[in-house]
Amino acid sequence: MPSSPPIVSVEHVFKSVTDSTGTLDILRDIDFTLGARETAAIVGASGSGKSTLLGIIAGLDVPTRGTVRIGGEDLFALDEDARAALRGRKIGFVFQSFQLLANYTALENVMLPLETAGRRDARKAAADMLARVGLGQRLGHYPKVLSGGEQQRVALARAFVVQPQLLLADEPTGSLDFATGEQVMQLMFELNREQGTTLVLVTHDRGIAARCERRITIEAGRVAANETTAFDEAAVPADPARAAIGSIAP
Ligand SMILES: Nc1ncnc2c1ncn2[C@@H]1O[C@H](COP(=O)(O)OP(=O)(O)O)[C@@H](O)[C@H]1O
Ligand SMILES: [Mg+2]
């Protein structure tokens, strides 16, 4: 048994939604834990419940039954304000669609979580983080003039700038071309290693899933597999584009 509590503990989580046509069971008895620095890929078909699960781990959505603990704290025993505060302190989130604020510059987008946390050095810390993701020359740019890859790097800067214990990423390369997605992934794994963040990454890409220590397969709202054994890299289809890509410059 580890002496410190797991960073993420998902305990018998169920999620159902009911409308006039009946009840849909989206998640059924999801149960797993992740330790400090652990990296986990969530894989599964479209509609299997991956995004719903990530939203619940972030405390953005509420389970019908079950418990989620973040660093030992029971997320749904907290009221909404306390839950939002915990999220701001401990959890970063990266989405497929970037989700930057359109009327804020890159710098302002990254400053926001720092300001929420009451950090007086928000401007400098945000500028440093944007330099770290290679966007030191883009501080005053608005999202709409940035490429998709640049927007996702701003989103990574915004997520990592508060040094969260946990990073949740929902298909972060889903809107990017292969080469750009590969660069964003490389950067995400680097930041993750540097900061010692626990990572939960939803991905369709077997090659990316293979780079995580754990793979959790969701089928129709249930955990169908939870494996830490190494992927057979030979089983991952060769992609000529992958071989052509080196690591990106810092
Ligand atoms: N608020 C909701 N109301 C009704 N159905 C929902 C809601 N949220 C998700 N679903 C349904 O739950 C299933 C799982 O969705 P989702 O978690 O987005 O899956 P995934 O991310 O694996 O593609 C889908 O069938 C989806 O249509
Ligand atoms: Mg999804």
Side-chain angles (χ1 to χ4, degrees), residues 75-211:
L75 204 49
F76 299 103
L78 305 172
D79 66 28
E80 258 178 66
D81 286 350
R83 193 149 66 231
L86 182 149
R87 188 186 314 125
R89 230 173 34 247
K90 294 191 175 172
I91 305 177
F93 209 126
V94 181
F95 303 88
Q96 176 175 347
S97 53
F98 321 134
Q99 307 268 23
L100 300 175
L101 296 177
N103 297 324
Y104 283 63
T105 63
L107 183 66
E108 289 164 351
N109 267 282
V110 179
M111 284 172 68
L112 213 60
L114 293 165
E115 287 174 333
T116 304
R119 285 267 296 268
R120 287 166 179 269
D121 63 338
R123 183 168 294 270
K124 174 161 194 328
D128 288 349
M129 194 67 211
L130 280 165
R132 170 65 188 87
V133 301
L135 295 175
Q137 309 303 315
R138 297 282 191 279
L139 304 187
H141 288 58
Y142 288 90
K144 69 168 185 288
V145 303
L146 298 174
S147 70
E150 288 170 340
Q151 289 184 59
Q152 198 60 307
R153 283 192 273 154
V154 175
L156 282 175
R158 178 181 60 182
F160 277 102
V161 77
V162 292
Q163 301 191 289
Q165 287 183 352
L166 173 63
L167 187 83
L168 303 173
D170 195 352
E171 303 195 40
T173 63
S175 300
L176 304 174
D177 64 68
F178 182 82
T180 306
E182 200 48 33
Q183 292 179 345
V184 164
M185 271 299 144
Q186 179 81 20
L187 183 59
M188 196 184 74
F189 281 113
E190 277 174 23
L191 292 167
N192 193 66
R193 246 192 330 272
E194 283 172 21
Q195 295 198 3
T197 319
T198 299
L199 174 68
V200 183
L201 166 66
V202 173
T203 182
H204 278 118
D205 184 318
R206 290 173 57 85
I208 292 171
R211 287 155 70 172

Side-chain angles (χ1 to χ4, degrees), residues 15 17-19 24-27 44-54 61 170-171 202 204 218:
K15 176 73 178 180
V17 291
T18 301
D19 65 14
L24 175 66
D25 297 319
I26 301 176
L27 297 177
S46 186
S48 57
K50 305 180 299 295
S51 293
T52 304
L53 174 60
L54 231 57
D61 195 359
D170 195 352
E171 303 195 40
V202 173
H204 278 118
I218 308 291

Side-chain angles (χ1 to χ4, degrees), residues 8-11 29-35 38-43 53 57 199-200 209 212-219 222-231:
V8 182
S9 176
V10 178
E11 302 168 12
D29 203 12
I30 302 279
D31 203 86
F32 63 86
T33 61
L34 300 173
E38 196 168 0
T39 57
I42 307 278
V43 298
L53 174 60
I57 295 172
L199 174 68
V200 183
C212 293
E213 292 153 355
R214 182 180 294 277
R215 279 157 301 281
I216 297 170
T217 305
I218 308 291
E219 274 175 27
R222 293 182 196 279
V223 175
N226 183 343
E227 310 157 291
T228 54
T229 50
F231 245 6

